Amino acid sequence: MKTEDVVLGILNEKSQTGYDIVEKIKTIFSHFFDGSYGSIYPVLHKLENKGKVTKKIIVQEGKPNKNLYSITESGREEFNKYLRSPVQTEVMKSDFLMRLYHGEYLPEEQIKQIIIEEINRKEQLVEELESQFEVWKEDMSSYQKLCCQIGIESYRSEIEILKKFQGH
Amino acid sequence: MKTEDVVLGILNEKSQTGYDIVEKIKTIFSHFFDGSYGSIYPVLHKLENKGKVTKKIIVQEGKPNKNLYSITESGREEFNKYLRSPVQTEVMKSDFLMRLYHGEYLPEEQIKQIIIEEINRKEQLVEELESQFEVWKEDMSSYQKLCCQIGIESYRSEIEILKKFQGH
DNA sequence: TTGCTCATGTAACCTGTTACATGATTGG
DNA sequence: CCAATCATGTAACAGGTTACATGAGCAA
């Protein structure tokens, strides 16, 4: 899964600005993808050069101008090629589990604290995802809703697992 | 979490070769970290230049020579600094959830197939992790075992969630 | 008046992936 | 005889992060 395909997928739904795309990634994609301005803006320029998207400048008053991007026919083809390509394995990077692995080199109190913090962090994430789901769900397809629900349930399971192992 | 810290952590347990380090990462770290020869060998050279590890060449017959790396006092200090630094949030990249999100643009049969494949993939992963756990557990601390058990349970929960949502 | 939201962008840096190169031994 | 295991390494490429730059409006 390339960032280019992710951006094409978002623009395939509707025309949007780079700012909108990053917002969507940071909210409803947060549990399975990551992107920032530093990665999304360059990708949009690249896609424009390749003719996969077109840009329309929208002049605004009292606010900065917007670059509204739309997917082209060539972009749709590329996106469909992606959709039919083999699914890549999931990648997980967990600093939390790395700390836990080396737990014997830290005082027990500190490990307990790290576990508590991880539970809190995940409870925060599940709350955010749930509230974002409420915001977006009217405009979501059943598959998109499913995707959010899986995220919510995954976080909840993780929290349960950590609570179960809390206190050895 | 930098790859340098991960390598120092592995060498903190005992002196090992680059090959051993990659093997460990590919087996018992597989559910929370990723690394390959192309990333680990350069990191070892870098750590050696910085004086965080030392290299001892072991001549073997019938096999290529080994470079056995050991952590230095300076390396231990660096690793302990890492252990006491703030825990970074987990990062997840899931091509599977990206496909599911765009499910409406694929025939229903294909989505069902993608879900089945993801369940199979995760069942494969949980089996591998369990068998690796059996191989390594004699030499593992209770925290290291906990780390594996969390991985196994996480995969199982994910499988349950997918099965629950299978067929909408 | 402080900080947030909207809105775009880039340059320097760091890091990782892929593909290549080498080569003997061992197991099925 | 073929594939896997052991064992190291690099060069070219691709990619992302961080920090910076700009700037108006608005709410507390």
Side-chain angles (χ1 to χ4, degrees):
Chain A
M1 168 181 50
K2 287 185 178 178
T3 303
E4 286 184 37
D5 296 317
V6 176
V7 169
L8 286 176
I10 292 174
L11 292 177
N12 190 45
E13 292 181 45
K14 65 163 188 268
S15 297
Q16 284 167 87
T17 65
Y19 192 85
D20 295 333
I21 293 168
V22 173
E23 206 204 339
K24 192 153 214 172
I25 289 171
K26 294 267 178 208
T27 54
I28 51 170
F29 282 28
S30 61
H31 57 106
F32 61 96
F33 190 73
D34 188 43
S36 56
Y37 298 123
S39 61
I40 300 307
Y41 284 125
V43 162
L44 281 167
H45 301 326
K46 205 172 161 188
L47 287 171
E48 199 190 357
N49 288 335
K50 284 188 188 174
K52 309 293 176 187
V53 303
T54 52
K55 179 170 72 177
K56 196 182 163 190
I57 298 168
I58 307 214
V59 180
Q60 297 188 122
E61 285 168 39
K63 282 183 188 179
N65 289 346
K66 277 183 180 181
N67 295 345
L68 188 71
Y69 289 94
S70 306
I71 194 165
T72 63
E73 206 41 61
S74 160
R76 267 205 183 88
E77 267 171 43
E78 177 120 342
F79 177 61
N80 278 311
K81 212 192 287 166
Y82 157 69
L83 277 188
R84 276 149 234 280
S85 69
V87 177
Q88 305 292 296
T89 11
E90 286 182 354
V91 176
M92 165 78 149
K93 200 169 276 193
S94 172
D95 193 20
F96 164 69
L97 286 175
M98 192 61 78
R99 305 301 173 107
L100 194 62
Y101 184 87
H102 296 294
E104 51 186 317
Y105 302 106
L106 282 174
E108 211 182 307
E109 269 317 304
Q110 208 168 327
I111 292 291
K112 278 183 180 165
Q113 193 51 40
I114 283 173
I115 296 173
I116 289 167
E117 277 163 23
E118 187 61 23
I119 292 170
N120 291 341
R121 201 177 293 127
K122 292 219 163 100
E123 279 174 345
Q124 183 73 36
L125 287 169
V126 80
E127 263 178 50
E128 274 164 29
L129 189 52
E130 276 179 315
S131 77
Q132 287 301 325
F133 184 45
E134 286 305 311
V135 172
W136 298 86
K137 76 174 179 193
E138 308 304 330
D139 303 307
M140 282 168 105
S141 76
S142 58
Y143 285 115
Q144 293 170 357
K145 286 181 201 159
L146 186 57
C147 192
C148 279
Q149 280 157 4
I150 288 174
I152 291 165
E153 296 232 12
S154 297
Y155 282 138
R156 290 224 180 97
S157 303
E158 291 295 322
I159 292 165
E160 284 316 303
I161 291 166
L162 292 184
K163 281 186 175 167
K164 205 178 79 183
F165 283 122
Q166 217 174 16
H168 304 207
Chain B
M1 170 181 48
K2 288 185 177 177
T3 303
E4 287 184 37
D5 296 316
V6 176
V7 169
L8 286 176
I10 293 173
L11 292 177
N12 191 44
E13 291 180 45
K14 65 165 189 265
S15 297
Q16 285 167 85
T17 66
Y19 192 85
D20 296 333
I21 293 168
V22 173
E23 207 205 338
K24 191 153 215 172
I25 289 171
K26 294 267 179 210
T27 54
I28 49 171
F29 282 28
S30 62
H31 57 107
F32 62 95
F33 190 74
D34 188 42
S36 56
Y37 297 124
S39 62
I40 300 307
Y41 283 125
V43 162
L44 281 167
H45 302 325
K46 204 172 162 187
L47 287 171
E48 199 191 356
N49 289 335
K50 285 187 186 174
K52 309 293 177 189
V53 303
T54 53
K55 179 170 73 178
K56 197 183 162 188
I57 298 169
I58 306 217
V59 180
Q60 297 188 122
E61 284 169 40
K63 282 182 186 179
N65 289 347
K66 277 183 180 182
N67 295 345
L68 188 71
Y69 289 94
S70 306
I71 194 165
T72 63
E73 205 41 60
S74 159
R76 268 203 184 90
E77 267 171 42
E78 178 119 340
F79 177 61
N80 278 311
K81 213 193 283 168
Y82 157 69
L83 277 189
R84 275 149 233 280
S85 70
V87 177
Q88 305 292 294
T89 4
E90 285 182 355
V91 177
M92 164 79 151
K93 200 169 275 194
S94 172
D95 194 19
F96 164 70
L97 286 174
M98 193 61 79
R99 306 300 174 108
L100 194 63
Y101 185 87
H102 296 294
E104 53 186 316
Y105 302 106
L106 283 175
E108 211 181 306
E109 268 317 305
Q110 207 168 326
I111 291 292
K112 279 183 181 165
Q113 194 51 41
I114 283 173
I115 297 173
I116 289 167
E117 277 163 22
E118 187 62 22
I119 291 170
N120 292 341
R121 200 177 295 128
K122 292 221 162 96
E123 279 173 345
Q124 183 74 36
L125 287 169
V126 80
E127 264 178 49
E128 274 164 29
L129 190 52
E130 276 178 317
S131 77
Q132 287 301 325
F133 184 44
E134 287 305 312
V135 172
W136 297 85
K137 77 174 177 196
E138 309 305 330
D139 303 306
M140 283 169 105
S141 75
S142 58
Y143 284 116
Q144 293 171 357
K145 287 180 200 159
L146 186 57
C147 193
C148 279
Q149 281 157 3
I150 288 174
I152 291 165
E153 296 231 10
S154 296
Y155 282 137
R156 290 224 181 98
S157 303
E158 290 296 321
I159 292 165
E160 282 317 302
I161 290 167
L162 293 183
K163 283 186 174 167
K164 205 178 81 183
F165 283 122
Q166 218 175 15
H168 304 210

